[in-house]
Amino acid sequence: MHSDAYPSMDLARKACKDLLCDACKGFPSLSRVSLQLSLLCLLSLVFGSCSLHRYQGPEDQLYIGVKSIEVVDKPGGSYADHAIGEAEEKLNYAPNGSIFGSSSLRWPLPLMSPYLYMRFSSDSTFIARVLRRFTSKPVWMREVSPSLRAKVAQQTLREHGYLSATVRSEILPQPKDSLQARVSYQMQLGPLYLLDSVTYFPRVYTSKGRYFEHGSVSELQKGTPFSMEILERDRNAISTYLRQFGYYYLKPDYISYQADTLMKPQHVALRTVLAETTPMDALRQWKIGRVQLRLMGRESDGGSVVANDSLALSDSIMLYYRDKTLVRPAVLRTRIRMKEGEIYRHKDEERTLSALTNLGAFSSVEFYFAKREEAAVSPDSLVTVLAADSLGDNPHPAFTMQPDTMRTLDVTILLRPDKPWSTYLGAAFMRKSTSYIGPGISASIERSNLFGGGERLTANVYGSYEWQTGRSPVAGSSISINSYQLGGDIGITFPFILFPGWINNYYKYPTSTSFKVGMQGINHAQYYTLRSLAFTMDYSFQPSSRWSHRLSPLSLNYTQLTRTTARFDKLLQENPALGLSLRNQFIPKVGYYFTYTRHKEDSPHFFQIFGEVSEAGNLANGLMAAFGRPYNETKTMLGVPFAQFVKASMDLRYSWRIDRNQTIATRLATGAIYSFGNASTAPYIEQYYVGGANSIRAFTVRSIGPGRFRTQEESAYSFMDRVGEMKLEGNVEYRGRLFGDCYGAVFLDAGNIWLLRRDPDRPGASLGELASLSEFARQIAVGTGVGVRYDLSFLVVRFDVGIGLHLPYETSRKGWYNIPRFRDALGLHLAIGYPF
């Protein structure tokens, strides 16, 4: 349909433009005629989505997406799937109106946006400028260039070892409008070429009695695919390894490969050689000479500064600065991991960079290495020789097996100061799984390099106001609970471990000691007011990329229930255990937390463990018992009872990437907390619960458990009873790409919580009341569901619909599927990030 065939539409457009111009001049009041013109304007814009033809050149076609990508004789296996996936990335291109980045699916009226852009492209009014900002240019076929994309995709397949692969493109005009067209692609991979033989580097001298054996560490083995990715990883591995042994100037680009595909069909004979342009400096070892640090000016001030003073940090390390050193000299000295006379090692450079950066005092840290001028080296000691090339007549440089006389590198490190103060202000409107909604605000201020040793001082204040929406599931009455939360904290973090003997053990990754004091007040209208004061001390260190640890030798939390209403007092009388968990108390806690992650970049498997082992009150109770106080007597600190418990938790996560579009993710979470001695009930904030957007998604937070317990009369605060001392939860989720950046999910969640001791006020809640394994299985709540994820790499927005299958307690419906009404078994969750 061409809109120029309708004269009335041109009149509508003109009227629309006049109306918009009048609006820009002062937004006059709309009369009846104005409303009619507005309606005509809207209709014009809707039908105007067909009118991009006037903006097309004589050779232009409007690109409206990919019709199909066909793979002829598709090979099986994950390797072929990976190669096809990378090739498809080169072919996919989103048209106007794309749904979540899809190259083929579009929203209704997809050309509305480009029409508005072109319609007002030459208009200088305010509204026109706003429209151009929120609309997009038309995507023309010449910009997409299907033939060029096909060539790039073809080259991608050949780089993965499909050396005879072909990719063809075809432009398919629309039958009803030849000025719009889709694109169809056809890929034919052909045979996969494999390595038949590999000639490695001769062994390379690294240190006395030690040599680098290329073949023992290389991925290039007979029978593996001939892939540019593997070759690139191999040359990077060679360079990285030898740079740990002084070969500073050896770059991956100096390592090349010669391939022969004629010796055996569909096979490659490969030889590793050094490029002809490899300089002599890249083939000899280097040692560290003098190290100098230069404190520069801030980039905002021009970046350069002339030093007027210097200070020797050691015999070989000099600091040049102007007026002040910014960081204490002793701190800087311990961060320099490169020592004069020692062989250059890339890991020492990385550790120095990490140690200086983690101080938080510098906006940038730059390294410059310079060759020291020395006496000429005897030709007999040169590390390079010319080796005859068996695949040609051109000679190539090569390593010898003899050690060379090391040359010296002087190091200059440029340090640019960072701004000492930074601030943050944030606001949000939240909706929680407990049906609470409301606004929140937070503000923070940070002072870096507080005492000249990289210390960081932070102060935060926050507040929120919430109210609960919905209706009571029993009486049908409105639930009206308002609450507000106010709090703040102040903390200081040191970029090292404050233990004797550990002060110089800086890891490659951030290491810190932190102290924090925080206060918080929670007011639930009609129920209670709770205040808390907390002090924590943490040691955090990460010795490797897989392991990270946090040790909390002291965490002291004081909670005080300052106000209760008659309604809440009645609730506590009906549930004494809840009253004990919410009473005024100290929680003197010691904890150890760790994370272990195992994942290789090219592996489809991902494994991660989170663990916690903690205790509270045992040391204090033991000391008091040693001085004659009865062990089981309730003891106090400053007149307030303190909690005593041991706690252990574990969260295991495993995911398997089936192919580029499909993943199966699993999680198993368990934990237990046991109170004894000074307290028979664990603090409320330490107990477990299930349900919600990141747990069993068919149920809201704290809506099931513990065990088969179910309160006789539901109320707005029934969820407070649904905490336990042991947790077991499992989740399985299948994730698959739907289109573009949009993924779908199907999941199954199961789990529950239990008490470790019997509670007469919560019958059926404890593990001790289980009579058999089958009864335990019946107390596992089960839910399934589906979800949608919009994955932008840096942000994941997900929407899940959970469907309950089994409740852990008896209902009016018999059998394993015991959900009385289907609508009561639905849980809707809008959240940020993956659930696990």
Side-chain angles (χ1 to χ4, degrees):
M1 179 180 67
H2 198 301
S3 63
D4 293 347
Y6 300 89
S8 60
M9 195 163 293
D10 289 332
L11 295 176
R13 288 197 196 93
K14 186 176 185 303
C16 177
K17 182 177 179 180
D18 293 339
L19 181 61
L20 292 175
C21 291
D22 290 340
C24 296
K25 295 176 181 177
F27 300 94
S29 59
L30 292 177
S31 62
R32 185 174 182 180
V33 175
S34 298
L35 290 174
Q36 293 174 348
L37 291 177
S38 299
L39 181 59
L40 287 174
C41 176
L42 179 61
L43 292 174
S44 169
L45 295 180
V46 171
F47 290 104
S49 60
C50 302
S51 66
L52 282 171
H53 302 76
R54 65 174 63 185
Y55 305 111
Q56 292 179 252
E59 302 297 329
D60 275 343
Q61 280 182 302
L62 186 68
Y63 171 73
I64 57 174
V66 174
K67 181 178 182 180
S68 64
I69 299 178
E70 180 186 4
V71 182
V72 180
D73 299 329
K74 180 180 178 181
S78 59
Y79 183 82
D81 189 75
H82 173 66
I84 293 171
E86 293 208 354
E88 286 184 350
E89 288 183 2
K90 308 300 189 295
L91 302 177
N92 287 321
Y93 193 87
N96 291 116
S98 169
I99 299 178
F100 298 133
S102 172
S103 61
S104 56
L105 299 179
R106 300 188 295 168
W107 296 106
L109 302 175
L111 302 184
M112 175 74 72
S113 175
Y115 168 77
L116 290 174
Y117 184 93
M118 298 301 294
R119 178 68 181 81
F120 297 100
S121 60
S122 59
D123 199 326
S124 61
T125 61
F126 172 76
I127 292 182
R129 293 196 301 270
V130 171
L131 284 173
R132 287 198 299 271
R133 192 168 190 85
F134 290 96
T135 54
S136 59
K137 294 181 180 180
V139 180
W140 306 117
M141 191 66 71
R142 53 182 162 80
E143 298 172 348
V144 179
S145 187
S147 59
L148 178 59
R149 289 183 175 275
K151 291 180 181 179
V152 174
Q154 177 177 287
Q155 182 62 29
T156 300
L157 292 174
R158 294 184 177 184
E159 289 177 354
H160 281 79
Y162 296 95
L163 300 185
S164 57
T166 58
V167 181
R168 297 181 177 88
S169 64
E170 182 181 4
I171 298 176
L172 305 172
Q174 290 291 89
K176 296 182 180 181
D177 187 351
S178 61
L179 297 182
Q180 299 185 18
R182 293 182 180 272
V183 182
S184 178
Y185 296 97
Q186 184 184 80
M187 289 192 287
Q188 189 165 9
L189 275 65
L192 175 63
Y193 280 67
L194 305 176
L195 295 180
D196 180 57
S197 63
V198 182
T199 302
Y200 303 104
F201 273 136
R203 63 178 187 170
V204 182
Y205 175 84
T206 54
S207 59
K208 187 176 181 180
R210 297 183 62 185
Y211 296 87
F212 168 63
E213 301 286 352
H214 179 202
S216 63
V217 299
S218 177
E219 291 185 63
L220 303 175
Q221 303 292 333
K222 184 176 180 179
T224 58
F226 176 67
S227 164
M228 293 297 108
E229 280 189 359
I230 298 179
L231 296 182
E232 191 65 27
R233 289 201 300 266
D234 184 71
R235 71 199 313 205
N236 286 330
I238 295 172
S239 173
T240 299
Y241 186 94
L242 291 178
R243 278 170 61 86
Q244 302 296 345
F245 292 93
Y247 293 92
Y248 170 75
Y249 288 103
L250 182 63
K251 300 178 180 179
D253 294 342
Y254 297 151
I255 301 167
S256 60
Y257 303 89
Q258 296 175 334
D260 188 345
T261 60
L262 301 178
M263 296 179 64
K264 186 177 180 180
Q266 300 177 19
H267 285 77
V268 177
L270 192 70
R271 183 185 181 192
T272 310
V273 298
L274 289 167
E276 297 179 21
T277 57
T278 304
M280 186 183 303
D281 287 338
L283 303 177
R284 61 158 50 100
Q285 292 175 298
W286 297 82
K287 62 183 178 181
I288 299 298
R290 295 183 296 270
V291 179
Q292 57 175 278
L293 286 74
R294 291 190 173 273
L295 190 59
M296 309 298 290
R298 293 188 176 89
E299 294 183 1
S300 58
D301 300 330
S304 62
V305 66
V306 178
N308 60 6
D309 206 346
S310 63
L311 178 67
L313 302 181
S314 70
D315 293 340
S316 61
I317 305 176
M318 290 293 298
L319 170 65
Y320 296 90
Y321 60 95
R322 186 178 184 85
D323 300 332
K324 60 180 181 179
T325 61
L326 188 65
V327 176
R328 296 194 304 271
V331 174
L332 286 174
R333 182 177 63 252
T334 58
R335 260 81 181 160
I336 308 302
R337 313 305 294 172
M338 298 178 292
K339 307 299 181 184
E340 185 178 22
E342 292 184 356
I343 191 171
Y344 168 83
R345 298 182 186 275
H346 182 59
K347 66 179 181 181
D348 293 337
E349 180 184 349
E350 286 186 328
R351 288 177 177 176
T352 302
L353 173 62
S354 177
L356 291 172
T357 302
N358 292 337
L359 287 174
F362 308 112
S363 61
S364 67
V365 180
E366 302 173 16
F367 286 76
Y368 294 92
F369 294 85
K371 295 179 287 186
R372 182 182 294 180
E373 295 296 331
E374 297 175 340
V377 181
S378 171
D380 296 335
S381 65
L382 294 178
V383 300
T384 58
V385 295
L386 295 180
D389 186 354
S390 61
L391 299 182
D393 298 329
N394 294 330
H396 287 268
F399 293 98
T400 68
M401 293 186 295
Q402 300 299 322
D404 179 34
T405 302
M406 289 188 191
R407 301 287 295 275
T408 303
L409 287 172
D410 292 325
V411 186
T412 300
I413 305 176
L414 301 184
L415 307 172
R416 298 189 184 279
D418 199 1
K419 295 180 179 179
W421 290 97
S422 59
T423 58
Y424 169 83
L425 179 65
F429 190 87
M430 299 169 290
R431 187 189 189 282
K432 299 181 179 179
S433 297
T434 50
S435 298
Y436 277 92
I437 64 173
I441 189 170
S442 61
S444 63
I445 186 170
E446 180 177 305
R447 173 63 162 88
S448 61
N449 197 35
L450 181 63
F451 303 126
E455 303 85 359
R456 186 174 70 254
L457 178 69
T458 57
N460 304 279
V461 292
Y462 54 87
S464 64
Y465 180 79
E466 301 172 340
W467 60 91
Q468 192 176 39
T469 62
R471 303 181 69 82
S472 168
V474 178
S477 59
S478 297
I479 298 173
S480 178
I481 302 178
N482 300 323
S483 68
Y484 65 82
Q485 177 179 343
L486 297 174
D489 58 68
I490 184 169
I492 184 170
T493 301
F494 299 85
F496 45 79
I497 298 295
L498 287 177
F499 273 154
W502 286 21
I503 195 166
N504 290 323
N505 291 341
Y506 297 107
Y507 298 102
K508 176 182 177 181
Y509 302 94
T511 299
S512 65
T513 303
S514 62
F515 302 87
K516 181 183 289 187
V517 177
M519 293 184 296
Q520 180 176 269
I522 301 175
N523 181 281
H524 282 277
Q526 306 178 21
Y527 285 91
Y528 66 86
T529 299
L530 181 70
R531 296 175 183 171
S532 66
L533 175 66
F535 170 80
T536 58
M537 175 183 179
D538 290 329
Y539 296 101
S540 300
F541 53 98
Q542 186 176 347
S544 69
S545 60
R546 293 185 177 181
W547 286 96
S548 62
H549 308 270
R550 181 168 67 91
L551 178 64
S552 182
L554 180 59
S555 174
L556 187 60
N557 193 324
Y558 170 65
T559 60
Q560 183 183 30
L561 200 60
T562 60
R563 178 190 64 86
T564 61
T565 64
R567 182 183 301 182
F568 192 68
D569 290 337
K570 181 180 178 182
L571 179 64
L572 296 182
Q573 290 174 3
E574 296 172 353
N575 189 346
L578 178 62
L580 288 174
S581 65
L582 285 171
R583 67 179 177 178
N584 299 347
Q585 61 183 318
F586 276 106
I587 308 176
K589 186 176 177 181
V590 177
Y592 165 67
Y593 312 85
F594 71 89
T595 301
Y596 173 79
T597 304
R598 182 163 187 169
H599 176 62
K600 293 183 179 179
E601 184 177 353
D602 57 339
S603 173
H605 304 286
F606 174 86
F607 180 70
Q608 191 172 55
I609 303 177
F610 300 94
E612 172 192 355
V613 179
S614 59
E615 67 85 21
N618 295 300
L619 179 60
N621 200 34
L623 289 175
M624 292 182 181
F627 283 96
R629 295 285 298 277
Y631 183 80
N632 291 321
E633 177 186 285
T634 301
K635 306 173 187 66
T636 62
M637 297 175 61
L638 303 177
V640 179
F642 58 86
Q644 186 178 359
F645 61 81
V646 292
K647 183 178 183 180
S649 300
M650 188 77 71
D651 188 313
L652 296 88
R653 304 182 182 189
Y654 169 76
S655 63
W656 173 42
R657 188 180 69 249
I658 302 173
D659 55 40
R660 69 185 187 280
N661 294 323
Q662 303 179 91
T663 301
I664 293 179
T666 64
R667 176 177 64 177
L668 176 64
T670 185
I673 180 171
Y674 182 72
S675 298
F676 57 95
N678 204 54
S680 59
T681 303
Y684 188 83
I685 61 174
E686 296 285 346
Q687 297 188 50
Y688 299 101
Y689 61 88
V690 291
N694 297 320
S695 182
I696 307 177
R697 284 160 280 184
F699 311 102
T700 57
V701 174
R702 296 186 180 93
S703 61
I704 52 176
R708 59 178 173 82
F709 168 72
R710 181 185 184 186
T711 182
Q712 296 298 318
E713 183 178 351
E714 293 285 346
S715 68
Y717 264 75
S718 296
F719 72 90
M720 297 194 69
D721 284 341
R722 290 164 180 159
V723 292
E725 297 163 329
M726 180 181 174
K727 173 183 176 179
L728 181 63
E729 180 184 335
N731 314 85
V732 179
E733 181 170 288
Y734 167 80
R735 301 164 184 166
R737 186 192 297 269
L738 298 177
F739 46 83
D741 297 322
C742 188
Y743 292 77
V746 179
F747 53 83
L748 181 68
D749 304 323
N752 204 343
I753 52 173
W754 293 269
L755 301 179
L756 297 181
R757 295 185 179 93
R758 294 195 180 194
D759 184 351
D761 298 302
R762 288 184 285 179
S766 67
L767 286 173
E769 296 173 80
L770 293 173
S772 63
L773 187 61
S774 61
E775 184 178 352
F776 173 79
R778 287 195 298 271
Q779 291 189 14
I780 299 294
V782 181
T784 186
V786 296
V788 178
R789 289 92 170 87
Y790 184 37
D791 191 342
L792 296 174
S793 297
F794 62 92
L795 178 68
V796 177
V797 180
R798 66 181 166 94
F799 177 70
D800 287 332
V801 179
I803 304 172
L805 299 178
H806 178 73
L807 288 165
Y809 49 81
E810 293 183 359
T811 67
S812 58
R813 188 185 186 103
K814 302 300 181 182
W816 185 81
Y817 178 77
N818 60 354
I819 307 296
R821 294 183 301 177
F822 179 78
R823 67 179 183 178
D824 294 335
L826 293 178
L828 307 179
H829 305 282
L830 180 63
I832 301 296
Y834 287 106
F836 50 88

